[in-house]
Each structure stands twice: as C-alpha cells, then as structure tokens.
Amino acid sequence: MLGADGPMEGISIAALLGDEVIHDIRNAVAAAPDASRPAVIAHLRLPTGQHFDVAVHRQQQGAILEFEPSFRRTQPLQLAREMIGRVKDIDDIDLLINSSAKLVRTILGYDRVMIYRFEEDGSGKVSSEAKRHDLESFLGQYFPATDIPAQARILYMQNPIRVISDARGLRVDLLPAAEERRSPLDLSFAHLRSVSPIHCEYLRNMGVSASMSISIIVDDKLWGLIACHHYAPKTLTMSERIAAEMFGEFFSLHLLALKQKRKLDISNEARRSLDRFLQAASHRADLDDILTAALPEFQALFGCDGVGLWMNGRWTSIGSAPPEGAQQDLVRFVAEVAGGRIWSTKALSTDHPPAEDYFEAVSGLMAVPLSQIPRDYIFFFRKERLQTLNWAGNPEKSYKTGPLGDRLTPRKSFAIWKETVQRQASPWRESDFEIAEAIRSATVEIVLRHNELMEDERNKSDIRQRMLNEELNHRVKNILAVIKSLVAAPTQEELPIQDYIGSLRGRIHALSDAHDQLPRGGGGGTLNDLLEAELLPYRAGRTTIEIKGPPVTLDARAHAVAALVIHEMCTNAAKYGALSRDGGTLTVSWEEADDGDCRLHWRETGGPTIGPIGRKGFGSALIERSIPYDLGGTSRLDYRAEGLDAEFRLPGRFLTWETEPAQQTASAASGAQTEEKAVDVAGIAVLLVEDQVLIAMDAEMMLADSGIENVVTASSSTDALNRLKTFNPAIAILDINLGSDTSVPVAQELLRRGIPFVFATGYDDRSSVPDELLSVPVVRKPYDGNALIKALSDRLTASSKA
C-alpha cells in the first residue's frame, strides 16, 4: 500500500504519502467533527498510484486514518438518494419494513436481509426477510436476548453500522506493539477494527461468512436492526457503507414519522369516540351512571376482552373480568404498585399471585386511574393467550469453563425450537397507552365537569330556595292579613266571646283547607271546587257568598294561575271589600262563551265605599296581569263606589266543559249554617300524641269543652309507649309527623291492643304511614272542635261494630 520496506516506526507520514496527500488529510482532520462522524476522502490517489477511500476520525490525542482500497469512483450520496427514493412515499409501517429488506438486498447484494425488532424482554423477532431462494427462512422466528447482550446494544447505539467482511476473524496486530501495550488505541468508531471472537464464532455457527448490521434508532432507543448475512466473505466499499448508513438513518426517521402518524390516527379515532362519550355525558348528572354506560365504548377502543370500573367502592364490569370477591384485592394491589399512574402487565399472575386462580379469564391488565388519589380505576382485561414461539435454537445460555473461568459459548444449533407460553396475554402496545391516556384525560374532564355542574346546581338550588322563601313570605303575609281581618271583624258589632271564638276558629280552619287546595291542584281541578276552597274561610261570618256556573275543569297551568288570582281576590275582599264587614255580598258566576272560553264575573256589594285607588301593590298587579300574561286571556277590574265589579276571560284551550252542564248554586248567610250536634263522648280517656305544645293545649281545650277531661299528652312515640304501660285509653289522637319521629310505632301498639285511634296531620303526604294503616281516619290540622269530636265519635262507633 505504501511502497515502503523495512520498519515503519519513526517514519514521517509526510515522507510516505507526499505533501499533496497530506494537504487533503489535514483539511479532512479539520473538517471532522468528532470520532463518531469521520470525514471522508473518496478515491484518494497515493504516490504508489493506488486509489483509496480514506476515513479520518478526529480524536483528542490526534487522528486515526483508515485506508480502504477504492476500485471504482462511486458517489455515496447518489447511491443513498436512490435507496431513499424507493421508500420515501411509503405510508404504512408494515409495507416499509417489508420493502426495505428487499431494497437493501437488491442494492447491496447480500444473500439474506432481515428486519429484526427487539421485544420488551430483550429478545428479537424477525419481522421481515428477503433471502436467496435456497435458504431456509428465519421469518417470524425469535432470537433470545443473550444473542445480543446489553453491552453489544450500547455499541449498536454508538456505531449505527457494523460490517464484518470475513467471519473467520483474521486479525492484524497494531504497530508499534510496545506503544499499543503502553496506551491502547481507542478504535470504538473505526470501521476496520476487529470484531469480538465470540460474535465471529456465533456467525460461523450459523454458517454466515460476512455480515452487516444497520441500527434502527427510534426516540433514542434501539428499536431493531437491519441484519444482512452473506454465506461467503463479502467486502463493501466505503461508498456503499456510507449509503447504507444514510439509508438506515432515513429509515429510522421515516419509521418514527409513520409511528407518530399511526399514533395520531389512533388518538384521533379515540378522541372522536371520547367526544361522543363526552357529549352523551353532558346529558347526565350521575357520574357512576356516565362511566358505567361508557364501558362498551371504552372496550371498543382497545383490543381487550373485558372492562371493569371501580367507583366509590362499587364494582361494575362487562366481558371477561375477575370473579366476584377478587376485585377489591386487585384494586388494593394496583393502588400500591401504580402510584396514581397508568399501570399494565401481560402476566398478572406473575405480578399478583392471587390472580393465579383466574389466569385464563384475566392475564393482561391495564389500570387507568380516574384521579390523582389512587381510589377509582377503569380496568382493561385480556384473556390468557396460548402462544407457540419459534426460537432459532434453544434460547438457554450455555457456558464452558476454561483457564480464565466461565466463558459464554455461542449457540451451535439454530434449528427451530418451539416454546409454548402460558399465563400471558398479548402485550400492550404503545397505541394502547396513548388511548389509555386519552381515556384518563376524558374521564378527568368528566369528573371536573361533573363537579362544576354540581356546584352550578347548588347555586341554582340556592336561587330557587330564595325565590321560594320570597314567595312563601308573600303568602304568609297574605295569610296573616286575612287572619288579622278575621280577628278584627267582631269589633264592628258586639258579640258574645264564645260566638267570637267559634267564628274565628271556624274561619281559620276553613282557611287551612283553602290553602291545601293549591298543592292539590298540581294536576288541575274544577273551577267550582277552587272557588269553594278559597271562599270557605269567609262563610262563617255574617256575609252572603253565592257561587254559580256550569261544571268546567281547568288544566294544571290554568288552575295554578286561577288559584293565585282568586286567592288575591278573596284576600282583597276580606281586607277592603264585601267580605270585610257584615252584610256584604259576593257573587261569583261564570258561563261558556261561543268560542269555548270561560267568562267569570266577580261582583261585590254591601262593603265599604270604595274611594280613589292609589298605588297598586303586588297583589293588584298579580290580579290584573296573570291571566293575560300566562294564559293569553283578559282581565277587567271596575272599582265602583258600591263595590268591585270584575270580569276574567279564561281561554278555552285550557278548559274542559261538561257535555251536559248542570247549574250549581251555593249560598251561605248569617245563621244559615247549623253545627252538627256532637255525639256524647264525655268522660272517655284519650291519649293525645302531639309534638307542638300550643297545638296540644288547643286540642286539650277542645276536648275539655266536650266533657273529655281524662287526656294524657305525649310529645314523642317513645313517650307515648312509656305512658301506655300505665294508661289504657278508650281512643287516641296521633299526630303522624313528630319532627324527626313518627307515631307509627304507637299506632302499631294500639292496633295490637285493639284500641281505636285517629291520625292528625297538616300535610297531604302520608308516605310515612304503612299500607296496613292507610284506612285509619285522618283529622285535618289546625283542629276544629266539632270535626275532632265527630271523628272520635265515628271511630268509636265503627270500632264497636267491628
């Protein structure tokens, strides 16, 4: 090569190569960035007339020059462009892998080219192969991790291309030998350095005479190799090697791009599915129901056999899942190992020994936490997948003991060695983790949105509560105003105190019944019943009230509006009109118009003279505007001196008229009502259960007025049961609702003893009463003396007949 004879040591390189060659080499040394990226001088002519391709590796102590014979002037860039142009438009990973193996074999002429991919456990699988037709195939075979140990993989990361031209491993010592022994030369990045004798022996055991490997590096990790085998010694030119290295780098980048594209496509599909989930979730309020309903959608995103949800200590699953009783133990295990992150395994029984009991149903697991607190999870399950792996020879390590101790011995057999893998599922892919992360983001978004909705609902509930309080306040004021007018009415004419008390008590009781009509009218009702209920409190006085008109039913909306208007009209009549003094007359009549509407007339006479109307309050505005605004009808109020004359028109679309209307007339005047003579129950023993002391005292006075002096009062069911141990009543009065308690236990004890009783309540709801007690008579509160005594008498009579 150099045309020199004799010892080389001490000879100047300039004397051997000449000034012109040294000039090119100096420029190359200056251009070389570092040892891993050598500068290249192609087809350099030496003084001997020979041509060489020179690689210049710049190192800290100088430079290493590698000279390789150059037989033809080939441009590596042109060759690389040709190879890259064949695969640059491929947009499918599998097609890229298959096409690249064929391309490399065609361009570089190796007998076999394989795309070799590393598995998670370090073993490798031949994913693609292009070979000479007479060779056996390695496609789909696995090679154990020991074939390419960890230290070898580090070298593959440092040197993206490695070439062995002759597996016989012929080596030439470095000169001068003394200098090499004193300070070994670092040939890590040199192409011509000798290869590990173990690796050469490995190749010879496979029958391979020459090889080349191109590293496939994706995301700074060794994804795999382009492995080339030749069954005779084979030398690549530096241009071919550089082109192969450039192709390997492009292949790695293109593979990364396609993987990212596939990941993006999967993520987009997952996002579309999750968007449907989010849209469906927006119409639901219960978080458990949202996630439970979404389990089939989540399963469709994964290649999994089952999905489980652990939410608020409750388990829900579809498909293949752990058996009953095993879920809580699994959740505790995942909470310990996952640490709030997505966690997966393909061999659950190995990581979690109790899963050995159900490994056929669940071997693969991916756990997705729903919050940072390891409490709630979505689990994805895969069944056991029995696999038969084809290994290129027995993968077990073998050692041979020599003078220097144990030595790793390369495998000598590469015949197919089959292994059946049990208790394992298909491994989770990168795309599965991407989907899992998207699901976690979506579920966290749902949790946050749910919390926001709950907060918003709480705010709305507070607003509704305030509005309810304001409406209740207005109604209570109206009720108090009516009661005030009822209390003040006898001052216009002297009456005996007993008449006054009886009249006032009757009016208040009737007022209670009238207000019960509002909640009962939620489903509509007749106009006659509504008027009777509202005007009932005023029939006890010395006024005349006349109601007449054909039967007509109002729907729920019209009933609610009419109830408010009539209530305000009654309240105003009691405050300022015909019902505010004795001798007043109120006439309410209605008729069906030609178009089906209802014309209602309200006429007051005999009341105080009406003067000029000043500023109208809330009640007057409600009367004038409610029917026109809410129902589209009309309202007319004429404040005449002799009394109010009003007309309201209710649209027919809210009404149902009887086919054969029957005229109804009801009137009441002073002395027209006669109280029903009470049955003599004097002297009987009564148990009164009432939690409000004032109401209890009022009831005791009513009972005393009828000669019932033996009354024992209890404020709770416990108190009543204790008193029954020493007291045997003839009958009992039981308030159904006793604050935080009910009188049902007392009723059941009385029923057991055969003692009759009546219930008392101010509510319509009797949901707290058992079915067997629903037939018991009920006395309405506030108590009316006559009604109370009659109820006791009727109950005692019925009991005596039983």
Side-chain angles (χ1 to χ4, degrees):
M1 168 185 165
L2 297 176
D5 296 325
M8 300 291 297
E9 186 175 357
I11 299 177
S12 168
I13 190 172
L16 290 173
L17 302 180
D19 293 337
E20 185 177 348
V21 173
I22 290 300
H23 178 268
D24 292 340
I25 289 176
R26 287 184 184 277
N27 288 338
V29 171
D34 54 57
S36 64
R37 288 290 183 180
V40 175
I41 306 173
H43 210 63
L44 180 65
R45 186 177 186 277
L46 297 187
T48 58
Q50 296 174 296
H51 289 83
F52 291 87
D53 293 325
V54 183
V56 179
H57 300 268
R58 183 174 180 178
Q59 293 186 324
Q60 189 173 2
Q61 68 269 34
I64 296 176
L65 311 180
E66 295 185 281
F67 291 80
E68 301 176 47
S70 177
F71 302 103
R72 60 186 181 275
R73 194 179 187 93
T74 305
Q75 292 295 330
L77 182 59
Q78 180 180 348
L79 183 59
R81 289 179 61 184
E82 182 181 346
M83 296 178 70
I84 291 172
R86 302 283 184 91
V87 298
K88 66 180 180 64
D89 295 327
I90 295 177
D91 60 359
D92 179 77
I93 291 179
D94 294 333
L95 182 59
L96 173 67
I97 291 173
N98 292 329
S99 300
S100 296
K102 296 176 182 178
L103 176 64
V104 172
R105 181 172 185 268
T106 300
I107 298 296
L108 301 182
Y110 281 93
D111 292 332
R112 186 198 307 270
V113 176
M114 300 170 287
I115 306 292
Y116 181 88
R117 177 176 178 175
F118 289 109
E119 301 289 326
E120 292 181 359
D121 59 1
S123 62
K125 180 183 178 181
V126 178
S127 299
S128 175
E129 180 185 53
K131 67 179 184 65
R132 209 173 64 198
H133 67 87
D134 59 323
L135 298 176
E136 65 172 329
S137 176
F138 288 164
L139 183 63
Q141 293 186 21
Y142 287 84
F143 288 74
T146 53
D147 280 8
I148 306 177
Q151 62 268 33
R153 294 183 205 185
I154 295 175
L155 293 176
Y156 279 120
M157 290 290 293
Q158 293 178 348
N159 294 317
I161 186 167
R162 294 182 66 187
V163 177
I164 298 176
S165 299
D166 193 339
R168 290 176 296 178
L170 302 176
R171 299 194 298 175
V172 178
D173 293 335
L174 290 173
L175 300 176
E179 180 66 23
E180 175 61 19
R181 286 192 295 270
R182 190 165 48 250
S183 178
L185 188 63
D186 184 2
L187 295 178
S188 297
F189 300 102
H191 292 297
L192 300 181
R193 67 178 176 85
S194 60
V195 185
S196 164
I198 295 178
H199 186 60
C200 289
E201 184 179 350
Y202 177 88
L203 292 176
R204 292 197 300 270
N205 291 343
M206 293 183 70
V208 175
S209 297
S211 73
M212 178 183 71
S213 60
I214 305 172
S215 301
I216 303 173
I217 300 173
V218 177
D219 283 334
D220 295 325
K221 295 180 181 179
L222 189 63
W223 182 90
L225 299 171
I226 302 176
C228 306
H229 289 175
H230 205 66
Y231 294 88
K234 179 178 177 62
T235 301
L236 288 184
T237 66
M238 182 179 290
S239 296
E240 290 173 327
R241 191 171 64 242
I242 292 174
E245 183 178 352
M246 294 175 66
F247 175 79
E249 291 182 351
F250 174 81
F251 179 90
S252 297
L253 291 173
H254 196 32
L255 177 63
L256 174 62
L258 292 181
K259 285 168 65 67
Q260 294 287 3
K261 179 179 178 297
R262 184 164 69 179
K263 185 185 299 184
L264 181 62
D265 291 341
I266 292 173
S267 297
N268 287 338
E269 179 59 33
R271 174 52 61 183
R272 284 191 288 270
S273 179
L274 292 173
D275 284 344
R276 293 192 294 270
F277 160 63
L278 292 172
Q279 185 175 6
S282 64
H283 303 296
R284 300 191 181 198
D286 188 272
L287 187 58
D288 286 10
D289 290 345
I290 292 172
L291 295 175
T292 300
L295 292 184
E297 188 88 13
F298 290 159
Q299 185 178 15
L301 295 176
F302 274 92
C304 64
D305 301 302
V307 184
L309 171 67
W310 181 265
M311 189 78 180
N312 296 324
R314 186 167 63 93
W315 175 262
T316 307
S317 64
I318 59 173
S320 185
E324 190 67 31
Q327 301 97 344
Q328 194 165 359
D329 188 41
L330 178 61
V331 172
R332 281 197 299 265
F333 164 73
V334 170
E336 292 173 359
V337 299
R341 298 184 298 273
I342 296 174
W343 184 84
S344 70
T345 179
K346 67 176 182 179
L348 181 60
S349 60
T350 301
D351 299 308
H352 181 50
E356 179 72 23
D357 296 336
Y358 50 90
F359 70 86
E360 292 181 346
V362 176
S363 283
L365 167 68
M366 178 172 286
V368 181
L370 300 182
S371 63
Q372 291 298 326
I373 301 175
R375 182 185 59 185
D376 301 326
Y377 292 90
I378 294 178
F379 295 95
F380 297 93
F381 303 113
R382 283 180 177 171
K383 295 180 179 180
E384 178 198 31
R385 182 188 174 196
L386 289 175
Q387 299 182 78
T388 299
L389 302 183
N390 293 326
W391 293 92
N394 192 323
E396 298 297 330
K397 291 182 179 180
S398 60
Y399 293 88
K400 183 172 73 174
T401 302
L404 299 179
D406 289 342
R407 172 183 179 274
L408 181 63
T409 304
R411 293 185 291 117
K412 293 181 171 57
S413 172
F414 290 86
I416 295 296
W417 188 83
K418 295 182 180 293
E419 178 191 17
T420 301
V421 178
Q422 296 178 314
R423 290 171 172 75
Q424 288 189 18
S426 300
W428 301 98
R429 302 173 300 174
E430 292 181 22
S431 58
D432 294 328
F433 285 94
E434 292 293 326
I435 295 173
E437 190 59 48
I439 288 177
R440 182 181 184 183
S441 299
T443 51
V444 168
E445 183 176 343
I446 285 294
V447 172
L448 293 175
R449 182 180 299 179
H450 179 263
N451 291 339
E452 291 175 356
L453 288 175
M454 292 298 293
E455 181 65 25
D456 184 55
E457 187 60 33
R458 282 191 290 269
N459 292 336
K460 290 180 179 179
S461 178
D462 291 341
I463 294 174
R464 288 194 294 268
Q465 186 64 44
R466 286 196 297 270
M467 293 176 63
L468 179 61
N469 290 341
E470 292 173 1
E471 175 65 17
L472 182 61
N473 182 52
H474 174 72
R475 291 196 178 194
V476 168
K477 286 182 177 179
N478 279 345
I479 294 170
L480 293 176
V482 172
I483 293 175
K484 180 181 178 181
S485 66
L486 295 177
V487 172
T491 60
Q492 300 170 7
E493 182 179 337
E494 293 298 330
L495 290 175
I497 188 63
Q498 293 301 325
D499 292 348
Y500 165 70
I501 294 174
S503 175
L504 180 60
R505 180 176 289 164
R507 288 183 177 184
I508 293 176
H509 185 76
L511 183 64
S512 172
D513 285 341
H515 281 275
D516 280 342
Q517 186 70 18
L518 286 177
R520 291 174 191 157
T526 67
L527 179 58
N528 185 79
D529 290 344
L530 177 60
L531 286 163
E532 285 286 1
E534 288 289 348
L535 290 169
L536 186 60
Y538 312 103
R539 290 189 181 279
R542 297 173 181 268
T543 55
T544 300
I545 300 175
E546 186 177 10
I547 302 173
K548 57 184 178 180
V552 59
T553 300
L554 285 66
D555 69 7
R557 182 174 179 179
H559 189 277
V561 173
L564 289 173
V565 172
I566 292 172
H567 175 76
E568 293 296 333
M569 292 288 289
C570 293
T571 300
N572 288 349
K575 289 180 181 179
Y576 319 112
L579 303 182
S580 66
R581 63 164 57 175
D582 292 340
T585 301
L586 170 63
T587 303
V588 184
S589 62
W590 64 91
E591 60 187 4
E592 182 180 3
D594 294 339
D595 56 1
D597 290 356
C598 175
R599 285 198 298 265
L600 186 145
H601 302 273
W602 180 287
R603 184 167 301 148
E604 298 180 26
T605 58
T609 302
I610 299 177
I613 303 300
R615 187 177 67 87
K616 296 179 180 180
F618 175 81
S620 298
L622 188 68
I623 293 171
E624 293 180 355
R625 300 179 60 184
S626 291
I627 292 177
Y629 186 84
D630 290 330
L631 303 179
T634 59
S635 298
R636 178 188 62 79
L637 278 77
D638 186 3
Y639 295 97
R640 301 174 181 175
E642 64 273 18
L644 175 65
D645 186 89
E647 180 178 298
F648 303 96
R649 191 179 186 96
L650 304 175
R653 63 180 181 274
F654 301 106
L655 312 174
T656 301
W657 295 93
E658 295 291 338
T659 54
E660 297 181 0
Q663 190 72 14
Q664 300 181 16
T665 303
S667 63
S670 175
Q673 291 184 335
T674 59
E675 294 185 355
E676 183 179 343
K677 185 178 180 181
V679 177
D680 186 12
V681 290
I684 65 173
V686 175
L687 172 67
L688 174 63
V689 181
E690 171 61 60
D691 63 326
Q692 297 291 328
V693 62
L694 293 178
I695 297 177
M697 292 172 61
D698 189 34
E700 290 173 355
M701 293 175 61
M702 294 178 186
L703 294 173
D705 291 343
S706 297
I708 303 175
E709 302 285 351
N710 189 9
V711 179
V712 172
T713 304
S715 61
S716 67
S717 61
T718 302
D719 187 16
L721 292 173
N722 288 333
R723 291 181 180 274
L724 283 173
K725 295 177 181 178
T726 57
F727 179 63
N728 188 33
I731 196 170
I733 305 168
L734 309 180
D735 184 8
I736 296 177
N737 296 287
L738 302 172
S740 59
D741 191 11
T742 70
S743 60
V744 171
V746 183
Q748 292 171 336
E749 175 62 19
L750 293 172
L751 194 64
R752 187 185 68 81
R753 295 189 182 190
I755 299 174
F757 58 91
V758 296
F759 282 128
T761 183
Y763 302 97
D764 287 331
D765 185 17
R766 298 177 67 187
S767 58
S768 59
V769 178
D771 293 341
E772 65 270 17
L773 300 177
L774 290 177
S775 61
V776 176
V778 176
V779 179
R780 304 292 300 178
K781 293 169 64 178
Y783 293 117
D784 174 74
N786 293 334
L788 179 59
I789 297 302
K790 185 177 185 303
L792 295 178
S793 177
D794 291 346
R795 185 62 169 155
L796 285 170
T797 302
S799 178
S800 63
K801 293 179 180 180

